[in-house]
């Protein structure tokens, strides 16, 4: 089973790289060079980058989910545009938006679209304009676990909600046994980890729990963790590291962080078989996303309870938050040039090597049009 899962994931990634079809985050690595960053293909991509008048330092922060993608983009962009230095700090979506609305950064990364109060706050630094959402990266949120002797684990939304709400506290609990009759579940305490920082990943994960298990998840979704109990760690890399090193651990993070032996939960949905966190299965869920933003804002509405067979429902979209008007004159050229590269065919094509996937054509086309009009 374990080998088959790895083979299916490898095939899914290969198909994504070839077809460029809509897909989501697959298993990545710490190699943020873009995988083949030194070969002729990567050099060609760098050669197609338009620097325009970009120069100076560009400060940005926010989503840790997209850090590996940002690193790959920065490597290629700065190789072509040597007068630009880009510093992206993966502080988490909430901190990134705060830094942006305080005028500390040129743009922010967020795994959740701007709230009305955040849009209002952005008007103070976006002269005659406001902050807008540009969807740039899509990805599934995996639930990683570390249970000695267990390679495959199935959970449903209700059981998962009870685990993260400290209602189910041991791995050999009857509810988990019922979902995993063939597993040798140990008498081991569950160590549930959540994000300590404000996070769009937490927002999307709790939106799933609220939508799929409303009777078992009584908390309102949000960037801050509201449930009682459990342990916390900073950023996606922090919770993933805790799962890797702690027997009995379970946590949620982008699939690109499920590496170095971290196993992921299969979700029991309305489908006949449990759904694995893979590119293809996540694609089936995100395909139903709709643009609900107004004007130049391109915020998406996701479906956390899809009925499609084989759809993996815990997904997120990472947005780049930027002013539609009133960007600082000294950073606007570099901001537009870098965002243009991220949204370009070459930039989106680089995502698979970094453990991510491109946005669908109809959405990324709108993103490109919006970036060209930034002022």
């Amino acid at each position: 089973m374990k080998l088959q899962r790895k083979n299916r994931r490898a095939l899914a990634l290969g198909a994504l790289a070839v077809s460029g079809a809509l897909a989501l985050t697959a298993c990545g690595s710490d190699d943020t060079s873009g995988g083949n960053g030194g070969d002729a293909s990567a050099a060609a991509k760098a050669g197609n980058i338009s620097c325009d008048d970009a120069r100076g330092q560009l400060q940005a922060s926010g989503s840790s989910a997209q850090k590996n993608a940002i690193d790959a983009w920065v490597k290629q962009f700065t190789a072509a545009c040597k007068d630009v230095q880009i510093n992206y700090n993966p502080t988490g979506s909430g901190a990134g938006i705060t830094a942006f609305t305080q005028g500390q950064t040129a743009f922010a990364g967020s795994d959740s679209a701007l709230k009305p109060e955040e849009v209002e706050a952005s008007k103070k630094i976006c002269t005659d304009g406001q902050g807008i959402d540009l969807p740039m990266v899509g990805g599934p949120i995996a639930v990683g676990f570390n249970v000695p002797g267990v390679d495959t684990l199935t959970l449903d939304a209700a059981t998962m909600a009870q685990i993260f709400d400290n209602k189910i506290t041991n791995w050999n609990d009857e509810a988990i046994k019922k979902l995993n009759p063939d597993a040798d579940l140990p008498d081991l305490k569950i160590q549930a980890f959540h994000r300590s920082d404000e996070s769009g990943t937490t927002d999307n994960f709790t939106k799933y729990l609220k939508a799929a298990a409303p009777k078992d998840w009584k908390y309102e979704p949000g960037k801050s963790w509201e449930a009682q109990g459990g342990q916390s760690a900073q950023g996606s890399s922090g919770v993933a590291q805790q799962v890797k090193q702690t027997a009995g651990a379970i946590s949620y993070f982008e699939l690109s962080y499920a590496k170095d032996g971290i196993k992921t939960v299969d979700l029991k949905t309305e489908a006949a078989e449990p759904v694995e966190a893979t590119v293809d299965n996540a694609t089936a869920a995100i395909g139903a996303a709709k643009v609900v933003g107004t004007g130049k804002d391109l915020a998406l509405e996701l479906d956390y309870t899809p009925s499609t067979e084989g759809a993996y429902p815990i997904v997120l979209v990472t947005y780049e938050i930027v002013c539609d008007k009133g960007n600082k004159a000294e950073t606007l050229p570099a901001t537009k040039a870098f965002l243009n590269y991220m949204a370009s065919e070459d930039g989106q094509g680089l995502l698979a090597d970094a453990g991510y996937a491109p946005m669908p054509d109809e959405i990324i086309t709108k993103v490109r049009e919006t970036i060209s009009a930034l002022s």
Side-chain angles (χ1 to χ4, degrees):
M1 173 65 77
K2 184 177 179 181
L3 180 59
Q4 290 175 342
R5 291 179 64 181
K6 288 185 176 179
N7 287 339
R8 288 200 301 270
R9 184 168 295 161
L11 288 172
L13 280 172
L16 171 65
V18 172
S19 68
L22 168 63
L24 297 178
T25 312
C27 282
S29 71
D30 280 327
D31 179 5
T32 55
S33 64
N36 299 323
D39 65 14
S41 176
K45 291 177 181 178
N48 291 333
I49 296 172
S50 177
C51 302
D52 297 324
D53 297 323
R55 63 185 66 254
Q57 288 195 355
L58 198 60
Q59 303 292 335
S61 65
S63 166
S64 62
Q66 69 169 355
K67 179 184 181 299
N68 294 339
I70 289 283
D71 286 347
W73 280 324
V74 167
K75 179 180 176 66
Q76 297 300 328
F77 183 82
T78 55
C81 305
K82 300 185 184 301
D83 291 332
V84 181
Q85 180 182 347
I86 300 173
N87 301 308
Y88 183 81
N89 189 1
T91 54
S93 298
I97 290 176
T98 297
F100 173 74
T101 57
Q102 292 179 349
Q104 299 171 9
T105 56
F107 70 91
S110 176
D111 304 321
S112 298
L114 290 167
K115 295 179 179 179
E117 60 268 27
E118 293 169 338
V119 173
E120 194 62 31
S122 72
K123 293 179 180 179
K124 297 177 181 179
I125 57 101
C126 300
T127 307
D128 297 324
Q130 66 179 50
I132 56 173
D133 300 287
L134 301 178
M136 201 69 75
V137 181
I141 301 171
V143 180
F145 68 95
N146 180 350
V147 182
V150 178
D151 290 332
T152 303
L153 182 70
T154 297
L155 296 175
D156 58 18
T159 305
M160 197 179 303
Q162 292 177 62
I163 287 173
F164 280 94
D165 195 25
N166 205 34
K167 296 296 190 295
I168 293 178
T169 59
N170 220 60
W171 280 112
N172 63 352
D173 187 275
E174 288 301 320
I176 303 177
K177 283 184 177 180
K178 185 177 180 180
L179 291 166
N180 300 273
D182 297 328
D184 185 14
L185 295 166
D187 182 7
L188 178 67
K189 180 178 173 59
I190 295 174
Q191 307 286 346
F193 286 88
H194 57 266
R195 290 279 291 271
S196 60
D197 52 320
E198 286 197 351
S199 164
T201 311
T202 295
D203 190 18
N204 283 280
F205 181 62
T206 52
K207 281 178 180 176
Y208 162 74
L209 294 177
K210 186 68 172 180
K215 293 181 180 179
D216 297 285
W217 192 256
K218 59 187 177 181
Y219 310 98
E220 288 302 313
K223 294 186 180 74
S224 298
W225 188 258
E226 299 295 335
Q228 303 302 308
Q231 303 176 64
S232 64
Q234 174 80 21
S236 297
S237 60
V239 290
Q241 181 63 26
Q242 290 297 330
V243 171
K244 181 181 177 181
Q245 67 187 21
T246 307
I250 186 171
S251 190
Y252 57 93
F253 38 77
E254 298 71 38
L255 190 55
S256 64
Y257 286 87
K259 53 200 173 187
D260 298 333
I262 295 179
K263 305 175 185 70
T264 60
V265 168
D266 294 342
L267 292 182
K268 181 70 176 76
T269 66
E270 296 302 316
E273 297 294 331
V275 185
E276 187 182 347
T278 67
V279 169
D280 287 344
N281 292 341
T283 296
I286 201 172
K290 299 178 181 179
V291 176
V292 293
T294 57
K296 295 181 179 179
D297 188 90
L298 299 176
L300 301 177
E301 182 178 77
L302 300 170
D303 183 1
Y304 292 101
T305 57
S307 58
T308 305
E309 189 76 15
Y312 184 84
I314 318 179
V315 297
L316 61 74
V317 171
T318 300
Y319 300 91
E320 312 312 329
I321 310 297
V322 67
C323 294
D324 58 355
K325 298 178 182 178
N327 289 278
K328 294 179 181 179
E330 61 269 27
T331 58
L332 178 60
T335 300
K336 291 184 68 172
F338 186 50
L339 291 177
N340 269 322
Y341 169 59
M342 293 163 66
S344 70
E345 184 176 348
D346 287 343
Q348 290 286 297
L350 196 64
L351 289 175
D353 286 337
Y356 298 88
M359 295 301 296
D361 288 341
E362 60 270 24
I363 292 177
I364 205 65
T365 297
K366 294 178 181 178
V367 171
R368 292 166 186 160
E369 292 172 351
T370 302
I371 294 171
S372 67
L374 297 179
S375 62

Coordinates of all heavy atoms in Angstrom, one line a residue, residues 167-224:
K167 N -11.0 15.9 22.2 CA -12.1 15.0 22.6 C -11.7 13.5 22.4 O -12.2 12.6 23.1 CB -13.4 15.3 21.8 CG -14.0 16.7 22.1 CD -14.4 16.9 23.5 CE -15.2 18.2 23.8 NZ -14.4 19.4 23.5
I168 N -10.9 13.2 21.4 CA -10.3 11.9 21.2 C -8.9 12.1 21.5 O -8.2 12.9 20.9 CB -10.5 11.4 19.8 CG1 -12.0 11.1 19.6 CG2 -9.7 10.1 19.5 CD1 -12.4 10.7 18.1
T169 N -8.3 11.3 22.5 CA -7.0 11.6 23.0 C -6.0 10.5 22.9 O -4.8 10.6 23.2 CB -7.1 12.0 24.5 OG1 -7.7 10.9 25.2 CG2 -7.9 13.3 24.7
N170 N -6.5 9.3 22.4 CA -5.6 8.1 22.2 C -5.8 7.5 20.9 O -6.9 7.5 20.3 CB -5.9 7.1 23.3 CG -4.6 6.5 23.9 OD1 -3.8 7.2 24.4 ND2 -4.5 5.2 23.7
W171 N -4.6 7.0 20.3 CA -4.7 6.5 19.0 C -5.5 5.2 18.8 O -5.9 4.8 17.7 CB -3.3 6.3 18.4 CG -2.7 7.6 18.0 CD1 -1.6 8.3 18.5 CD2 -3.1 8.3 16.8 NE1 -1.4 9.4 17.8 CE2 -2.3 9.5 16.7 CE3 -4.1 8.2 15.9 CZ2 -2.4 10.5 15.8 CZ3 -4.3 9.1 14.9 CH2 -3.4 10.3 14.8
N172 N -5.7 4.4 19.9 CA -6.5 3.2 19.8 C -8.0 3.5 20.2 O -8.7 2.5 20.6 CB -5.9 2.1 20.6 CG -5.9 2.4 22.1 OD1 -6.2 3.5 22.5 ND2 -5.5 1.4 22.9
D173 N -8.4 4.7 20.1 CA -9.8 5.1 20.4 C -10.7 4.3 19.4 O -10.4 4.0 18.2 CB -10.0 6.6 20.2 CG -11.4 7.0 20.6 OD1 -12.3 6.9 19.8 OD2 -11.5 7.5 21.7
E174 N -11.9 3.9 19.9 CA -12.8 3.1 19.1 C -13.2 3.8 17.8 O -13.4 3.2 16.7 CB -14.1 2.8 19.9 CG -13.8 1.8 21.0 CD -13.3 0.5 20.5 OE1 -13.8 0.0 19.4 OE2 -12.4 -0.1 21.1
A175 N -13.3 5.1 17.8 CA -13.7 5.8 16.6 C -12.6 5.7 15.5 O -13.0 5.6 14.3 CB -13.9 7.3 16.9
I176 N -11.4 5.7 15.9 CA -10.3 5.6 14.9 C -10.2 4.1 14.5 O -9.9 3.8 13.3 CB -8.9 6.1 15.5 CG1 -9.1 7.5 16.0 CG2 -7.8 5.9 14.5 CD1 -7.8 8.1 16.7
K177 N -10.4 3.2 15.4 CA -10.4 1.8 15.1 C -11.4 1.4 14.0 O -11.2 0.6 13.1 CB -10.6 0.9 16.3 CG -9.4 0.8 17.3 CD -9.8 -0.2 18.4 CE -8.6 -0.4 19.3 NZ -9.0 -1.3 20.5
K178 N -12.6 2.0 14.2 CA -13.7 1.7 13.2 C -13.3 2.1 11.8 O -13.7 1.4 10.9 CB -15.0 2.5 13.7 CG -16.2 2.1 12.9 CD -17.4 2.8 13.4 CE -18.7 2.5 12.6 NZ -19.9 3.2 13.1
L179 N -12.6 3.2 11.7 CA -12.2 3.7 10.4 C -11.0 3.0 9.8 O -10.7 3.0 8.6 CB -11.9 5.2 10.4 CG -13.1 6.1 10.6 CD1 -12.6 7.5 11.0 CD2 -14.0 6.2 9.4
N180 N -10.3 2.3 10.7 CA -9.0 1.6 10.3 C -9.0 0.2 10.9 O -8.2 -0.2 11.8 CB -7.8 2.4 10.8 CG -7.7 3.8 10.3 OD1 -7.2 4.0 9.2 ND2 -8.3 4.7 11.0
P181 N -9.9 -0.7 10.5 CA -10.0 -2.0 11.1 C -8.8 -2.9 10.9 O -8.6 -3.8 11.7 CB -11.2 -2.6 10.4 CG -11.3 -1.9 9.1 CD -10.9 -0.5 9.4
D182 N -8.0 -2.6 9.9 CA -6.8 -3.5 9.6 C -5.5 -2.9 10.2 O -4.5 -3.5 10.1 CB -6.6 -3.6 8.1 CG -7.8 -4.4 7.4 OD1 -8.4 -5.2 8.1 OD2 -8.1 -4.0 6.3
A183 N -5.6 -1.7 10.8 CA -4.4 -1.1 11.3 C -4.1 -1.6 12.8 O -5.0 -1.8 13.5 CB -4.5 0.4 11.3
D184 N -2.8 -1.7 13.1 CA -2.4 -2.1 14.4 C -2.2 -0.8 15.2 O -1.1 -0.3 15.4 CB -1.1 -2.9 14.4 CG -0.7 -3.4 15.7 OD1 -1.5 -3.4 16.7 OD2 0.5 -3.8 15.9
L185 N -3.3 -0.2 15.7 CA -3.2 1.1 16.4 C -2.7 0.9 17.8 O -3.2 0.1 18.6 CB -4.6 1.7 16.4 CG -5.2 2.1 15.1 CD1 -6.7 2.4 15.2 CD2 -4.5 3.3 14.5
P186 N -1.7 1.7 18.2 CA -1.0 1.5 19.5 C -1.8 2.2 20.6 O -2.6 3.2 20.3 CB 0.3 2.1 19.3 CG 0.1 3.2 18.3 CD -0.9 2.6 17.4
D187 N -1.6 1.8 21.8 CA -2.1 2.5 23.0 C -1.2 3.7 23.3 O -0.3 3.6 24.1 CB -2.2 1.6 24.2 CG -2.7 2.3 25.4 OD1 -3.2 3.4 25.3 OD2 -2.7 1.6 26.5
L188 N -1.4 4.8 22.5 CA -0.4 5.9 22.5 C -1.2 7.2 22.5 O -2.2 7.4 21.8 CB 0.4 5.8 21.2 CG 1.4 7.0 21.0 CD1 2.5 6.9 22.1 CD2 2.0 6.9 19.6
K189 N -0.8 8.1 23.3 CA -1.5 9.4 23.5 C -1.3 10.2 22.2 O -0.2 10.3 21.6 CB -0.9 10.2 24.6 CG -1.5 11.6 24.8 CD -0.9 12.3 26.0 CE -1.4 13.8 26.1 NZ -2.8 13.9 26.3
I190 N -2.4 10.9 21.7 CA -2.4 11.7 20.6 C -1.7 13.1 20.9 O -2.1 13.7 21.9 CB -3.8 11.9 20.0 CG1 -4.4 10.6 19.5 CG2 -3.8 13.0 18.9 CD1 -5.8 10.7 19.0
Q191 N -0.8 13.5 20.1 CA -0.1 14.8 20.3 C -0.6 15.7 19.1 O 0.0 15.6 18.0 CB 1.4 14.7 20.3 CG 1.9 13.7 21.3 CD 1.9 14.2 22.7 OE1 1.7 15.4 23.0 NE2 2.1 13.3 23.7
A192 N -1.6 16.4 19.3 CA -2.2 17.3 18.2 C -1.5 18.6 18.2 O -1.5 19.3 19.2 CB -3.7 17.4 18.4
F193 N -0.9 19.0 17.1 CA -0.2 20.3 17.0 C -1.0 21.2 16.0 O -1.5 20.8 15.0 CB 1.2 20.1 16.4 CG 2.2 19.5 17.4 CD1 2.3 18.1 17.5 CD2 2.9 20.3 18.2 CE1 3.2 17.6 18.4 CE2 3.8 19.8 19.1 CZ 4.0 18.4 19.2
H194 N -1.1 22.5 16.4 CA -1.7 23.5 15.6 C -0.7 24.7 15.4 O 0.3 24.8 16.1 CB -3.0 24.0 16.2 CG -2.9 24.5 17.6 ND1 -3.2 23.7 18.7 CD2 -2.6 25.7 18.1 CE1 -3.0 24.4 19.8 NE2 -2.6 25.7 19.4
R195 N -1.0 25.6 14.5 CA -0.2 26.8 14.3 C -0.3 27.8 15.5 O -1.4 28.1 16.0 CB -0.6 27.5 13.0 CG -0.2 26.7 11.8 CD 1.2 26.8 11.4 NE 1.5 28.2 10.9 CZ 1.3 28.6 9.6 NH1 0.9 27.7 8.7 NH2 1.6 29.8 9.3
S196 N 0.9 28.3 15.9 CA 0.9 29.3 17.0 C 0.6 30.7 16.4 O 0.2 31.6 17.1 CB 2.2 29.3 17.7 OG 3.3 29.5 16.9
D197 N 1.0 30.9 15.1 CA 0.8 32.2 14.5 C -0.5 32.2 13.7 O -1.1 31.2 13.5 CB 2.0 32.4 13.5 CG 2.2 31.3 12.5 OD1 2.0 30.1 13.0 OD2 2.4 31.5 11.3
E198 N -0.9 33.5 13.4 CA -2.1 33.6 12.6 C -1.8 33.1 11.2 O -0.8 33.5 10.6 CB -2.6 35.1 12.5 CG -3.2 35.6 13.8 CD -4.0 36.9 13.6 OE1 -3.9 37.4 12.5 OE2 -4.7 37.3 14.5
S199 N -2.7 32.2 10.7 CA -2.4 31.5 9.5 C -3.6 31.3 8.6 O -4.6 30.8 9.1 CB -1.7 30.1 9.9 OG -1.8 29.2 8.8
G200 N -3.4 31.5 7.3 CA -4.5 31.2 6.4 C -4.7 29.7 6.3 O -5.7 29.2 5.9
T201 N -3.6 28.9 6.6 CA -3.7 27.4 6.6 C -4.7 27.0 7.7 O -5.6 26.2 7.5 CB -2.4 26.8 6.8 OG1 -1.4 27.4 5.9 CG2 -2.4 25.3 6.5
T202 N -4.6 27.6 8.9 CA -5.5 27.3 9.9 C -6.9 27.8 9.5 O -7.9 27.1 9.8 CB -5.1 28.1 11.2 OG1 -3.8 27.6 11.7 CG2 -6.1 28.0 12.3
D203 N -7.0 28.9 8.9 CA -8.3 29.4 8.5 C -9.0 28.4 7.5 O -10.2 28.0 7.8 CB -8.1 30.7 7.7 CG -9.4 31.5 7.5 OD1 -10.5 31.1 8.1 OD2 -9.5 32.4 6.6
N204 N -8.3 27.9 6.5 CA -8.9 27.0 5.6 C -9.1 25.6 6.2 O -10.1 24.9 5.9 CB -8.0 26.8 4.4 CG -8.1 28.0 3.4 OD1 -9.0 28.1 2.6 ND2 -7.2 29.0 3.5
F205 N -8.2 25.2 7.1 CA -8.4 23.9 7.8 C -9.7 23.9 8.7 O -10.5 23.0 8.7 CB -7.2 23.5 8.6 CG -7.2 22.2 9.3 CD1 -7.4 21.0 8.6 CD2 -7.2 22.2 10.7 CE1 -7.4 19.8 9.3 CE2 -7.3 20.9 11.4 CZ -7.4 19.8 10.7
T206 N -9.8 25.0 9.4 CA -11.0 25.1 10.3 C -12.3 25.3 9.5 O -13.4 25.0 10.0 CB -10.8 26.2 11.4 OG1 -10.4 27.4 10.8 CG2 -9.7 25.8 12.3
K207 N -12.2 26.0 8.3 CA -13.4 26.1 7.5 C -13.8 24.7 7.0 O -15.0 24.4 7.0 CB -13.0 26.9 6.2 CG -13.0 28.4 6.5 CD -12.6 29.2 5.2 CE -12.6 30.7 5.5 NZ -12.1 31.4 4.3
Y208 N -12.9 23.8 6.7 CA -13.2 22.5 6.4 C -13.9 21.8 7.5 O -15.0 21.1 7.3 CB -12.0 21.7 5.9 CG -12.2 20.2 5.9 CD1 -12.9 19.6 5.0 CD2 -11.6 19.4 7.0 CE1 -13.2 18.2 5.0 CE2 -11.9 18.1 7.0 CZ -12.6 17.4 6.0 OH -12.8 16.1 6.1
L209 N -13.3 21.8 8.7 CA -13.9 21.2 9.9 C -15.3 21.7 10.2 O -16.2 20.9 10.5 CB -13.0 21.3 11.1 CG -11.6 20.7 11.1 CD1 -10.9 21.0 12.3 CD2 -11.8 19.2 10.9
K210 N -15.5 23.0 10.1 CA -16.8 23.6 10.4 C -17.8 23.2 9.3 O -19.0 22.9 9.7 CB -16.7 25.1 10.4 CG -17.9 25.9 10.8 CD -18.2 25.6 12.3 CE -19.4 26.5 12.8 NZ -19.7 26.3 14.2
A211 N -17.4 23.1 8.1 CA -18.4 22.8 7.0 C -18.7 21.3 7.0 O -19.8 20.9 6.7 CB -17.8 23.2 5.6
A212 N -17.7 20.5 7.2 CA -17.9 19.0 7.1 C -18.3 18.3 8.4 O -18.8 17.2 8.3 CB -16.6 18.4 6.5
A213 N -18.0 18.9 9.5 CA -18.4 18.3 10.8 C -18.9 19.4 11.8 O -18.3 19.6 12.8 CB -17.2 17.6 11.4
P214 N -20.0 20.1 11.4 CA -20.5 21.2 12.2 C -20.9 20.8 13.6 O -20.8 21.6 14.6 CB -21.7 21.7 11.4 CG -22.1 20.5 10.6 CD -20.8 19.8 10.2
K215 N -21.3 19.5 13.8 CA -21.7 19.1 15.2 C -20.5 18.8 16.1 O -20.7 18.9 17.3 CB -22.5 17.8 15.1 CG -23.9 18.0 14.4 CD -24.7 16.7 14.3 CE -26.0 16.9 13.6 NZ -26.8 15.6 13.6
D216 N -19.4 18.6 15.5 CA -18.2 18.2 16.3 C -17.2 19.4 16.3 O -16.3 19.3 17.1 CB -17.5 17.0 15.7 CG -18.4 15.8 15.8 OD1 -18.5 15.2 16.9 OD2 -19.0 15.4 14.7
W217 N -17.3 20.4 15.5 CA -16.4 21.5 15.5 C -17.3 22.8 15.8 O -17.9 23.3 14.9 CB -15.7 21.7 14.2 CG -14.5 22.6 14.3 CD1 -14.5 23.9 13.8 CD2 -13.3 22.4 14.9 NE1 -13.3 24.5 14.1 CE2 -12.5 23.6 14.8 CE3 -12.7 21.4 15.6 CZ2 -11.2 23.8 15.3 CZ3 -11.4 21.5 16.1 CH2 -10.7 22.7 16.0
K218 N -17.2 23.2 17.0 CA -18.1 24.3 17.4 C -17.5 25.7 17.3 O -18.1 26.7 17.6 CB -18.5 24.1 18.9 CG -17.3 24.1 19.8 CD -17.8 23.7 21.2 CE -16.6 23.5 22.2 NZ -17.0 23.2 23.5
Y219 N -16.3 25.8 16.8 CA -15.5 27.0 16.7 C -15.7 27.7 15.3 O -15.9 27.0 14.3 CB -14.1 26.8 17.0 CG -13.8 26.0 18.3 CD1 -13.5 24.7 18.2 CD2 -13.8 26.7 19.5 CE1 -13.3 23.9 19.4 CE2 -13.6 25.9 20.7 CZ -13.3 24.6 20.6 OH -13.1 23.9 21.7
E220 N -15.7 29.0 15.3 CA -15.8 29.7 14.0 C -14.4 29.6 13.4 O -13.4 29.7 14.0 CB -16.2 31.1 14.2 CG -17.6 31.3 14.6 CD -18.6 30.7 13.6 OE1 -18.4 31.0 12.4 OE2 -19.5 30.0 14.0
P221 N -14.4 29.4 12.0 CA -13.1 29.4 11.3 C -12.4 30.7 11.4 O -13.0 31.8 11.6 CB -13.5 29.2 9.9 CG -14.9 28.6 9.9 CD -15.5 29.2 11.1
G222 N -11.1 30.7 11.4 CA -10.3 31.9 11.5 C -8.8 31.6 11.4 O -8.4 30.5 11.5
K223 N -8.0 32.7 11.3 CA -6.6 32.5 11.2 C -5.9 32.1 12.5 O -4.9 31.5 12.5 CB -5.9 33.8 10.7 CG -6.2 34.2 9.3 CD -5.4 35.4 8.9 CE -5.7 35.9 7.5 NZ -7.0 36.6 7.4
S224 N -6.6 32.4 13.6 CA -6.1 32.1 14.9 C -6.8 30.8 15.4 O -8.0 30.6 15.2 CB -6.4 33.2 15.9 OG -5.7 34.4 15.6

